[in-house]
Amino acid sequence: MSERTAIVVGAGIAGLATAGGLARTGWKVTLLERADRLRPGRAAVQIWPNGVRALESLGLAEALESVATPMPQLGVRRPDGRILHPTDDTVPRPVLVHRADLHDVFMSGLGDQVEIRTGFAVRTVGPTSQRPSVGDGATTCSADLVVGADGTDSMLRRRLAPAATLVSAGYARWRAVIPWFRAPNLSGELAPGAESFGDGHRFTFTALGTPGTSRGGLYWAAAVPGAARPEPPETQLALLRRWFAGWHAPIGDLLAATHPEDLVQETVRELRPLPAFAHAAEHGGYALAGDAAHAMSAHAGQGAGLALEDAAVLQHVLRGAVQGSIGDALEEYARVRAARITRFAAHSRKLDAALQARGRFSVSGRFAPRLLDRVALAGAEWVAPGPRP
């Protein structure tokens, strides 16, 4: 069998997981990244049980276990600290991983079958009547397979599926990790962390690692109705302190201990309609993965998990594919992922509507917290694909 070649565009979670997964099954992979070097990202990311199973399928579960912190059952509280929804031990919980540690996990799994090219900003996508290719305006690279894992603003998706449009999710979101030496002490019933809601606002915090670990600290995430803020981080942090003033302890202390350089703001958008996840070419084809394929609201916390599922399914369907069968393998990928993502996106939209409701329809009732549990169960139900010849 002649050597199979793939180009993976984007070195985020979806791109690194896909590149390593293909390389470990015999593909020669070129990983293209527009930045001048591979950067791990900041703060931390949640990986739900489905994402952990995907990493196990990709051969990376042991490396993840060494750096992940299981998130406890937090329950749900009102801004004044009163319990809105008690903990439920039957609902699955994610693990929390510092982005730098997760980056190390992926880099350790790339092996010598992956060539990394930085400073390559894709501007052109080859016509599907030819071999799959991408170019930066000066150089064109071609392969049997091109995977677009280039994020929410994917150039590949815009070229291959222009009808898929990004729309605002209706809220802005921030994350931060406060290093241990600056972290306020947690005590009593709130020591494991808390999840709190009120009038469209959401604040979550928990420990990452244990005191003394170099990349550990207290992790928090906040969501606020409205658009992403264009102001500098110092102003954004001042706004967060104002918006969450009066919320139960230790939210004020956490924001007071946060420095502007700790802050990571996310522009939360979703794709409507979802694009086709695979596109045939004359010889081979294109696939979309991660946010390039299915950017959606962050309230469900499944961005990383769904991206890892994509990588695991791509590895599975392409494991035994030769040049002549890549198209059939990508059809299977598109069919399997479209069914899964369509179902989960419907759950995610219901959760968004509940969490962003304001006034008397807001989260002060019990519906939204219970919906959070349902979405967690829907996300965790994914099963990794079985062995493939």
Side-chain angles (χ1 to χ4, degrees):
M1 182 175 67
S2 58
E3 187 174 54
R4 300 163 298 172
T5 58
I7 293 168
V8 177
V9 181
I13 290 174
L16 287 171
T18 299
L22 292 176
R24 286 189 292 279
T25 57
W27 287 71
K28 182 175 176 57
V29 180
T30 300
L31 179 63
L32 303 178
E33 167 58 36
R34 66 179 302 155
D36 59 353
R37 61 186 177 89
L38 301 193
R39 292 180 170 86
R42 296 163 52 217
V45 62
Q46 295 179 8
I47 302 179
W48 289 79
N50 52 304
V52 175
R53 287 194 290 273
L55 283 167
E56 182 177 3
S57 178
L58 291 163
L60 299 174
E62 186 175 342
L64 173 72
E65 187 176 358
S66 67
V67 296
T69 301
M71 288 188 68
Q73 294 287 355
L74 301 177
V76 178
R77 294 175 180 270
R78 294 183 171 91
D80 62 8
R82 287 181 296 166
I83 294 290
L84 178 61
H85 186 59
T87 61
D88 184 347
D89 292 337
T90 66
V91 176
R93 294 298 298 165
V95 296
L96 189 64
V97 190
H98 200 288
R99 286 297 299 264
D101 287 328
L102 187 60
H103 182 79
D104 290 346
V105 168
F106 290 135
M107 293 300 292
S108 67
L110 290 182
D112 56 7
Q113 283 286 90
V114 179
E115 175 192 1
I116 299 172
R117 296 183 61 179
T118 57
F120 195 108
V122 171
R123 294 185 171 86
T124 62
V125 180
T128 54
S129 59
Q130 300 175 8
R131 194 168 186 247
S133 65
V134 292
D136 65 353
T139 304
T140 298
C141 303
S142 63
D144 301 312
L145 167 71
V146 172
V147 180
D150 45 343
T152 304
D153 293 305
S154 169
M155 174 62 74
L156 266 81
R157 186 193 62 246
R158 294 205 297 270
R159 293 289 188 267
L160 297 170
T165 303
L166 286 168
V167 297
S168 171
Y171 64 95
R173 187 171 186 264
W174 289 263
R175 295 176 293 118
V177 174
I178 306 170
W180 286 117
F181 71 89
R182 275 198 274 118
N185 291 325
L186 301 182
S187 59
E189 63 175 343
L190 287 173
E195 182 119 48
S196 304
F197 297 97
D199 211 22
H201 293 59
R202 180 182 186 182
F203 198 98
T204 305
F205 68 90
T206 190
L208 172 62
T210 55
T213 53
S214 61
R215 289 174 178 168
L218 290 180
Y219 164 83
W220 64 258
V224 174
R229 305 298 304 198
E231 298 92 345
E234 293 82 1
T235 305
Q236 294 175 28
L237 187 53
L239 288 170
L240 284 162
R241 289 168 178 165
R242 187 177 75 195
W243 290 328
F244 288 97
W247 283 48
H248 67 79
I251 291 173
D253 292 336
L254 291 169
L255 291 172
T258 303
H259 290 181
E261 60 269 22
D262 301 326
L263 208 59
V264 178
Q265 181 180 200
E266 300 174 7
T267 302
V268 188
R269 294 169 291 170
E270 54 187 278
L271 279 169
R272 296 185 184 177
L274 289 171
F277 294 167
H279 301 261
E282 182 71 20
H283 303 286
Y286 298 85
L288 298 174
D291 285 342
H294 44 70
M296 66 178 70
S297 168
H299 274 313
Q302 277 286 358
L306 295 176
L308 293 169
E309 288 180 21
D310 293 341
V313 174
L314 272 172
Q315 182 196 58
H316 173 72
V317 300
L318 291 164
R319 185 182 298 272
V322 296
Q323 278 84 347
S325 64
I326 290 173
D328 292 338
L330 292 181
E331 282 186 15
E332 182 181 354
Y333 168 73
R335 176 182 58 80
V336 170
R337 295 311 290 151
R340 161 71 166 159
I341 297 299
T342 299
R343 287 195 304 270
F344 191 79
H347 288 292
S348 179
R349 284 192 291 271
K350 289 178 184 176
L351 178 61
D352 263 18
L355 294 184
Q356 295 183 65
R358 307 182 78 173
R360 68 188 185 93
F361 296 107
S362 76
V363 77
S364 59
R366 293 188 177 274
F367 175 68
R370 288 175 178 170
L371 189 55
L372 267 173
D373 291 347
R374 292 180 203 165
V375 172
L377 289 166
E381 69 183 3
W382 180 82
V383 177
R388 189 181 185 91

